[in-house]
């Protein structure tokens, strides 16, 4: 070997989001002038830069290069010791590769994000929101969840009440809110509440929500029952006060049961029944025929029933969601999106890092609806399942055009005969776009980021036997 190397220091420590440097010294112990190329390898290679990238040394001379480690403040920067190495390839003898190794310790940090889905629930006897907890730190998160409100108006059933979440993953807590007092009559009432995520030794992370409690019976129904009761009482009073005296007539009739004809009472003259009309005396009215009955239900005659067509409500898309955010934050950057899940259809749009799709249900996504604001439009492409594949991978579809801010962009297809998504790409006009993807039988991958157009963010899998199940996007 014609090269001597030394890492100074061989072990270093760095905080996520910060940087540290290590010096690599090397000496040409050979007898010819040689140029060396440097390439970082290992788990921390994506966050490692070498300056300079090449170094030319004469025999017996020594040179140095600087290794800069800058791990991001994301779950990808795994806490604890991380081995690293630098591959040194000499130009004159490329087969004589040298790989000095060192150790980089990344300090742990904790960060979480909690969100109620939905933030407002309604019900008469209970409400059932879900609390989504994302572990954005680089260590396992252990926390307990509790509920509270002013006046102790609600009881809380949280399952599970304790969670352990790996870095970069999310957990869901099913909450059941039960009012301690039932509203039998009257208008609905708002009951603000708070779910707190408590980590050991740290302040709890509060998440506020609203439970709207409805009355057991609506006000109009209570009014109706009250009016009906008043009418019944009034009728009963009138009946007992002005009851007709007919009892004596009913008792006299059996006394003359053997007489062939009954004479009218001298005190009462019965009114004769009205005579039937000539038409009624001639023949009873004919029953309607089957043909007439059938024609009556059709839409051809003037007397038939008229069908009423109710227009479907306008669908809530990613564009309508991002435009609502833009109205509240005109100077911000936002991205909203929703998934078309096979066998289920379109989900509701979510925004800015919230999970879209399904987790643990083995259902693929067929189409993605994206809308952006403040990033100069978006464009995308889909990589879908290929039933004719010969290389074990899917196939690319046609690129979408660049869609302006506040407009809907669709990546994929909702047609039943069209294939599901395995991967999708996305780019924006300015700034950076980042995301995570949940792949069937693989789980959540690491965060991926991309700069502005023409750079591309790619999320998913190339394996034709797998598919995309869920994703999260931020800008």
């Amino acid at each position: 070997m014609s090269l001597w190397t030394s890492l100074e220091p061989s072990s270093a420590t760095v905080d996520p989001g910060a940087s540290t440097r290590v010096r690599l010294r090397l000496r040409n112990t050979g007898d010819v002038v040689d140029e060396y190329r440097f390439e970082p390898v290992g788990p921390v290679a994506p966050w490692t830069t070498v300056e300079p990238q090449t170094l030319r040394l004469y025999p017996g001379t020594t040179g140095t290069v600087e290794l800069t480690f800058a791990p991001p403040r994301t779950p990808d920067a795994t806490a604890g010791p991380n081995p690293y190495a630098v591959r040194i390839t000499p130009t004159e003898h490329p087969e004589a590769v040298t790989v000095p190794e060192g150790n980089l310790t990344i300090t742990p940090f904790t960060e979480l994000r909690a969100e109620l889905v939905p933030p407002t629930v309604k019900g008469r006897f209970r409400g059932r929101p879900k609390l989504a907890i994302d572990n954005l730190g680089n260590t396992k998160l252990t926390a307990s969840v509790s509920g509270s409100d002013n006046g102790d108006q609600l009881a809380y059933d949280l399952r599970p009440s304790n969670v352990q979440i790996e870095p970069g993953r999310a957990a869901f807590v099913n909450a059941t809110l039960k009012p301690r007092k039932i509203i039998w009559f009257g208008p609905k009432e708002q009951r603000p509440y708070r779910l707190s995520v408590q980590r050991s030794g740290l302040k709890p992370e509060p998440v506020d929500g609203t439970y709207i409690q409805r009355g057991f019976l609506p006000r109009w129904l209570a009014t109706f029952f009250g009016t009906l009761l008043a009418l019944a009482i009034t009728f009963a009073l009138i009946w007992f006060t002005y009851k007709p005296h007919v009892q004596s007539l009913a008792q006299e009739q059996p006394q003359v049961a053997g007489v062939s004809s009954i004479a009218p009472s001298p005190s009462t003259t019965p009114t004769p029944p009205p005579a039937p009309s000539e038409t009624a005396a001639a023949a009873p009215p004919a029953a309607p025929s089957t043909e007439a009955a059938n024609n009556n239900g059709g839409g051809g005659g003037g007397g038939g029933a008229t069908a009423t067509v109710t227009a479907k409500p306008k669908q809530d898309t990613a564009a309508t969601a991002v435009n609502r955010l833009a109205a509240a934050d005109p100077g911000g950057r936002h991205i909203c999106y929703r998934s078309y899940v096979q066998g289920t259809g379109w989900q509701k749009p979510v925004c800015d890092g919230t999970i879209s799709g399904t987790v643990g249900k083995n259902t693929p996504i067929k189409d993605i609806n994206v809308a952006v604001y403040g990033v100069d439009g978006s464009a995308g492409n889909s990589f879908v399942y290929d039933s004719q594949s010969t290389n074990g991978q899917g196939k690319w579809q046609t690129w979408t055009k660049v869609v302006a801010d506040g407009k809907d962009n669709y990546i994929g297809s909702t047609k039943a005969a069209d294939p599901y998504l395995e991967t999708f790409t996305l780019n924006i006009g300015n700034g950076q776009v980042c995301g995570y993807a949940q792949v069937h039988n693989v789980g959540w991958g690491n965060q991926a980021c991309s700069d502005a157009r023409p750079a591309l963010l790619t999320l998913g899998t190339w394996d034709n036997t797998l598919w995309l199940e869920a994703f999260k996007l931020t800008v």
Side-chain angles (χ1 to χ4, degrees), residues 174-390:
N174 295 317
T176 301
L177 313 176
K178 297 180 181 179
R180 299 186 185 276
K181 182 181 179 181
I182 298 176
I183 302 175
W184 294 104
F185 300 100
K188 57 189 177 182
E189 295 184 8
Q190 292 191 3
R191 305 197 185 280
Y193 68 94
R194 172 173 293 180
L195 298 183
S196 299
V197 182
Q198 177 67 59
R199 294 171 288 170
S200 177
L202 298 176
K203 292 183 178 180
E205 186 80 14
V207 184
D208 294 328
T210 302
Y211 171 59
I212 299 179
Q213 184 180 358
R214 296 169 174 165
F216 180 73
L217 294 176
R219 177 177 293 180
W220 67 266
L221 191 57
T223 304
F224 172 76
F225 283 149
T227 304
L228 190 63
L229 179 61
L231 290 175
I233 294 173
T234 304
F235 178 78
L237 291 175
I238 295 175
W239 174 264
F240 287 108
T241 303
Y242 301 99
K243 181 172 64 173
H245 300 281
V246 296
Q247 185 176 4
S248 59
L249 295 178
Q251 293 175 351
E252 292 175 356
Q253 291 180 1
Q255 298 175 3
V256 292
V259 184
S260 61
S261 63
I262 301 175
S265 171
S267 61
T268 305
T269 304
T271 304
S277 63
E278 293 181 1
T279 305
S289 65
T290 304
E291 181 178 356
N294 292 338
N295 290 337
N296 190 37
T306 303
T308 302
V309 179
T310 304
K312 294 183 178 179
K314 187 176 180 181
Q315 195 175 46
D316 193 10
T317 67
T320 58
V322 83
N323 287 325
R324 285 196 297 267
L325 290 179
D329 182 20
R333 293 164 54 87
H334 300 286
I335 182 169
C336 294
Y337 42 91
R338 59 178 180 146
S339 301
Y340 188 91
V341 179
Q342 182 170 292
T344 303
W346 283 112
Q347 295 182 331
K348 292 184 178 180
V350 295
C351 303
D352 298 335
T354 304
I355 297 174
S356 180
T358 59
V359 177
K361 297 183 178 180
N362 299 328
T363 51
I365 295 175
K366 295 195 62 174
D367 198 357
I368 295 174
N369 173 209
V370 180
V372 296
Y373 178 79
V375 298
D376 195 19
S378 68
N381 195 0
S382 57
F383 188 79
V384 300
Y385 170 75
D386 184 7
S387 61
Q388 307 297 324
S389 174
T390 59

Side-chain angles (χ1 to χ4, degrees), residues 36-311:
Y36 304 93
R37 298 193 305 273
F38 305 94
E39 179 185 3
V41 294
V44 299
W47 318 316
T48 307
T49 57
V50 183
E51 294 181 354
Q53 295 182 349
T54 60
L55 185 63
R56 187 178 182 86
L57 293 178
Y58 289 91
T61 60
T62 303
T64 61
V65 295
E66 293 284 342
L67 306 179
T68 302
F69 302 98
R73 191 177 173 83
T74 65
D76 300 332
T78 306
N82 291 268
Y84 70 89
V86 180
R87 181 186 292 118
I88 305 175
T89 306
T91 303
E92 296 296 329
H93 302 283
E95 72 281 356
V97 175
T98 303
V99 186
E101 298 180 353
N103 186 69
L104 178 68
T105 300
I106 300 177
T107 59
F109 77 96
T110 58
E111 184 177 346
L112 67 86
R113 177 175 57 200
E115 180 183 11
L116 275 171
V117 183
T120 300
V121 292
K122 302 177 181 179
R124 292 181 174 85
F125 302 107
R126 60 182 56 86
R128 291 190 174 94
K130 286 188 177 182
L131 179 65
I133 306 174
D134 292 290
N135 184 2
L136 305 180
N138 63 352
T139 59
K140 180 183 291 186
L141 172 66
T142 301
S144 61
V145 183
S146 60
S148 62
D149 60 90
N150 292 330
D152 195 25
Q153 297 175 334
L154 301 174
Y156 302 87
D157 182 13
L158 305 174
R159 298 186 182 181
S161 59
N162 295 280
V163 293
Q164 285 189 341
I165 312 173
E166 296 293 333
R169 300 298 181 91
F172 291 88
V173 176
N174 295 317
T176 301
L177 313 176
K178 297 180 181 179
R180 299 186 185 276
K181 182 181 179 181
I182 298 176
I183 302 175
W184 294 104
F185 300 100
K188 57 189 177 182
E189 295 184 8
Q190 292 191 3
R191 305 197 185 280
Y193 68 94
R194 172 173 293 180
L195 298 183
S196 299
V197 182
Q198 177 67 59
R199 294 171 288 170
S200 177
L202 298 176
K203 292 183 178 180
E205 186 80 14
V207 184
D208 294 328
T210 302
Y211 171 59
I212 299 179
Q213 184 180 358
R214 296 169 174 165
F216 180 73
L217 294 176
R219 177 177 293 180
W220 67 266
L221 191 57
T223 304
F224 172 76
F225 283 149
T227 304
L228 190 63
L229 179 61
L231 290 175
I233 294 173
T234 304
F235 178 78
L237 291 175
I238 295 175
W239 174 264
F240 287 108
T241 303
Y242 301 99
K243 181 172 64 173
H245 300 281
V246 296
Q247 185 176 4
S248 59
L249 295 178
Q251 293 175 351
E252 292 175 356
Q253 291 180 1
Q255 298 175 3
V256 292
V259 184
S260 61
S261 63
I262 301 175
S265 171
S267 61
T268 305
T269 304
T271 304
S277 63
E278 293 181 1
T279 305
S289 65
T290 304
E291 181 178 356
N294 292 338
N295 290 337
N296 190 37
T306 303
T308 302
V309 179
T310 304

